Amino acid sequence: MGIIKAAKLVFDYLKYTEEGKEPEVNRAIDGVDLDIAEGQFIAILGHNGSGKSTLAKHMNALLVPTDGTLWVDSMDTAEDDDVWKIRQKAGMVFQNPDNQIIGSVVEEDVGFGPENIGIPTDEIWKRVDDALAKTGMISYRKHSPNKLSGGQKQRVAIAGVVAMKPKCIILDEPTAMLDPNGRKEVLAAVRELNQKEGVTVILITHYMEEVTLADKVYVMDSGRIVMQGTPREIFSQVDTLKKYRLDVPQVTLLADELAKAGVDIPSGILTIEELVNALCQSN
Amino acid sequence: MSIKLEHVTYTYSPGTAYEMHALKDVSLEIPDGQFLGIIGHTGSGKSTLIQHLNGLIRPTQGRVLFDGQDVWAEGYDLKSLRSNVGLVFQYPEHQLFETDVLTDVCFGPKNQGCTPEQCEERAREALRHVGFPEELYHKSPFELSGGQKRRVAIAGVLAMNPRVLVLDEPTAGLDPKGRDEILDQLKELHGTRGITVVLVSHSMEDIAKYVERIIVMNGGQKAFDAAPKEVFSHYKELEAMGLAAPQITYIMHALKEHGMDVDTSATTVEEAKQSILAALAERREKQC
Amino acid sequence: MLRDITIGQYYPAKSVMHRLDPRVKFVGTLAYIVSLFIFNSWIGYVISALFLAVMVKLSKVPLKFIVKGLKAIVVLLLISMFFNAIFTPGHVVFKVWIIQVTEEGLILAAKIGIRLILLIIGASLMTLTTTPNQLTDGLERLMKPLNKIHVPVHEIAMLMSIALRFIPILMEETDKIMKAQIARGADFESGNLIHKVKSMIPLLVPLFISAFRRANDLAMAMEARCYHGGDGRTQMKPLVYKKRDMAAYAVLVVYLAAAVAMRMIGI
């Protein structure tokens, strides 16, 4: 079993419109099966409202399934007793950088998680130093989070999760509110954690450029997983992606358009280099 | 018939330890009917710049002219300026407050002194322009999806019948489809109503696809002010400012370096495709 | 105007005052305020002013910065001095229409003025040298005994520190929403009171919604980081009294004792 595994996962949001009336049922996740191996970089794609954020919240036991099961490191998230262990194993970074920082000094915020799980003071300091170093935020440790840029705030949030020594980090659209530079910063930090520390990363996003480096991509639509595969496999299906309200990077789109116009070019081009090589070889 | 900034300087908290020059001696003119893009990284002064366009902030130095009149002159009607120049802030859905969509969109026209009938007529027209479905007109704006809320908020400004529409990152946080829909509608508005559109965006791809002129802001100053092709040809300078050109620009330059005779000024996928196909055809002819 | 209020602001510097345990500073501020009411003579005020002057000097906070903070309370100060001056019966110095100023009134007004100024400077010195987090930590520890009578001390402290973090964010948000509504033709300034209150709706509704959304997000983020109240929680920066804190307490005791002694012998 992988670090995160879902079997026939179903989740319904209930909306109570009037008192005494039966609630409206809104199915956000509709039979999702997943098995994520430890150490992988996973991307989950989907348009707004496709159920990807709801799925993310299950991986941290913030939501529990209406039906089916989700295991984090072999622990069933529906078991109340394991909930704090699960949240320590699978840390979560959210979209809005302002709304997830609790401390008014960077280092104090990073220490918040370890404090909650009862780590001794000396060890907290070690972990905070370590987490700030790994996210490149050590020189900002005494700063007020309010004075940081969006990308820096998100790195502080990531450091806050890293300080809990999780096996897995789930990032729920961490770059949606950032500018291009902030986006790059955050992605670089996440990739480094994945490659150097072997932390499993689950990146939820709708920016296609961010998933080209993933080991595996899942595409969600109306609560289901509708596509899965390597980035190359996914990006070779430009028209299917469009159907799911997504697009591909310009280089992939251009390669696809050229192929449609009869140029001999392999499908699923991901980088400028690949396109240039393909075009220079084709006659 | 234009907006003109003459040597505008804006300083935050002048005379204190927090003094910061957000704009330094910026001059520019936005003629009627243009589709203009403003780019610049966070803190480059672009937000401060657009707030000058409808008189929300007063320049520390310099003048802002609308139709040739100084908007900060004694007795100038700033309210009429704000009717003429609509400003849509980033995440505009955060300003919605009414109990239903239609009433919220009526807020602007109501402030302009329209009769209830006129308000509703304008609101309906604005909502149609942003492609908002009629069956949701009487829903609470807070029950809508993110993309729909965004449309309502844009309609709220559009209903004031502005001649100039300024939008600060209108697509932030939307998914690709939602983004394309909103930008296409803006383009249509620009075409059919002849409205001037000023689009602030981080996405070079979007800017390249839609605008006819780009102003690049850097450190509170205008770094470039030219047509997209011209601006993106300076892609190395843009990178030094923490910006980038569209991916297409990089592709075309890479191809050129590898000896393909392509047009490096192409900025959209369609232009690039045509140029590459032409280059390939030419190569084939030579080989024959 | 709002910017001028230095009360509650933190002034970063490296000084003995900054390094003191927040509990000492909190207790010290209380003791100082009490002393201002124990002292009842000019010589007493001189002593308390000197004491404060030494503390300000030790804090390395520029006097200019502190004085700027007083500007915000000038009106309050003048009003209370004025009423004391005219409502105290006694020997009339001069009389304008039905308002009479007495000698006793003037003396009382001067005393009130001095006390208020010293009090404000004393209290702002605490917040200027203590980060909001240290302050809440200190309060939490000082109030810990109240836990026994089921006062949720930890929760109150957490609430305070979160509120302090979000105040600047919400201020910025208010400014943004206000500008957005002005761009839609809203008018927050003209009109009578009722009109003004009504015109606040387009500002207040979005602001409340945003505050609730932030609160909701934050609660979720805290839960995701294993926050489950004060039980079993350790601290990254636990408060431990050092020698200098004990010395500070000793100084405070001497100072208070002097005040009480002077009052008793009637100086």
Side-chain angles (χ1 to χ4, degrees), chain C residues 24-179:
Chain C
V24 178
K25 284 185 266 189
F26 195 77
V27 172
T29 307
L30 279 182
Y32 186 71
I33 292 170
V34 169
S35 81
L36 288 176
F37 289 94
I38 297 175
F39 280 126
N40 201 13
S41 61
W42 297 110
I43 186 146
Y45 293 139
V46 171
I47 292 175
S48 53
L50 276 176
F51 181 78
L52 190 63
V54 173
M55 295 302 138
V56 170
K57 187 80 198 151
L58 283 176
S59 74
K60 291 188 183 162
V61 179
L63 193 64
K64 228 169 90 189
F65 198 81
I66 300 176
V67 173
K68 220 175 78 190
L70 281 177
K71 263 198 256 167
I73 59 140
V74 160
V75 179
L76 186 78
L77 190 72
L78 288 178
I79 291 173
S80 58
M81 283 173 71
F82 175 72
F83 281 109
N84 272 294
I86 60 166
F87 286 131
T88 311
H91 178 69
V92 178
V93 183
F94 61 87
K95 192 173 169 179
V96 184
W97 187 40
I98 53 161
I99 299 169
Q100 49 182 0
V101 177
T102 62
E103 199 183 313
E104 287 80 355
L106 282 177
I107 292 172
L108 196 63
K111 284 185 174 173
I112 294 267
I114 291 171
R115 272 183 186 160
L116 259 176
I117 291 173
L118 291 178
L119 189 144
I120 297 291
I121 295 180
S124 45
L125 193 62
M126 170 176 72
T127 56
L128 284 167
T129 58
T130 321
T131 65
N133 269 31
Q134 289 174 333
L135 205 61
T136 44
D137 271 4
L139 272 179
E140 184 179 351
R141 282 291 290 274
L142 282 172
M143 298 196 304
K144 217 167 195 175
L146 294 180
N147 234 342
K148 292 213 175 69
I149 53 165
H150 301 289
V151 178
V153 173
H154 168 78
E155 282 72 13
I156 292 171
M158 181 58 80
L159 212 76
M160 277 174 59
S161 65
I162 288 172
L164 285 168
R165 191 182 116 59
F166 275 85
I167 284 170
I169 293 176
L170 287 175
M171 295 264 266
E172 205 176 298
E173 183 128 6
T174 310
D175 186 55
K176 222 163 34 189
I177 297 171
M178 210 154 167
K179 276 186 175 164

Side-chain angles (χ1 to χ4, degrees), chain A residues 142-212:
Chain A
K142 300 283 183 201
H143 285 229
S144 154
N146 290 338
K147 298 261 152 69
L148 301 179
S149 73
Q152 290 169 334
K153 284 182 204 166
Q154 286 301 57
R155 272 150 70 200
V156 171
I158 294 170
V161 170
V162 170
M164 296 177 74
K165 298 207 168 165
K167 282 190 170 176
C168 173
I169 297 185
I170 301 128
L171 302 106
D172 188 4
E173 297 196 49
T175 58
M177 298 182 77
L178 306 182
D179 65 6
N181 293 328
R183 247 178 253 162
K184 274 186 219 155
E185 263 174 55
V186 169
L187 282 178
V190 170
R191 272 201 75 209
E192 192 164 308
L193 282 176
N194 175 251
Q195 296 192 319
K196 284 200 182 149
E197 313 294 327
V199 180
T200 313
V201 169
I202 298 167
L203 175 69
I204 288 149
T205 183
H206 54 234
Y207 290 112
M208 307 299 284
E209 309 87 88
E210 296 179 354
V211 311
T212 50

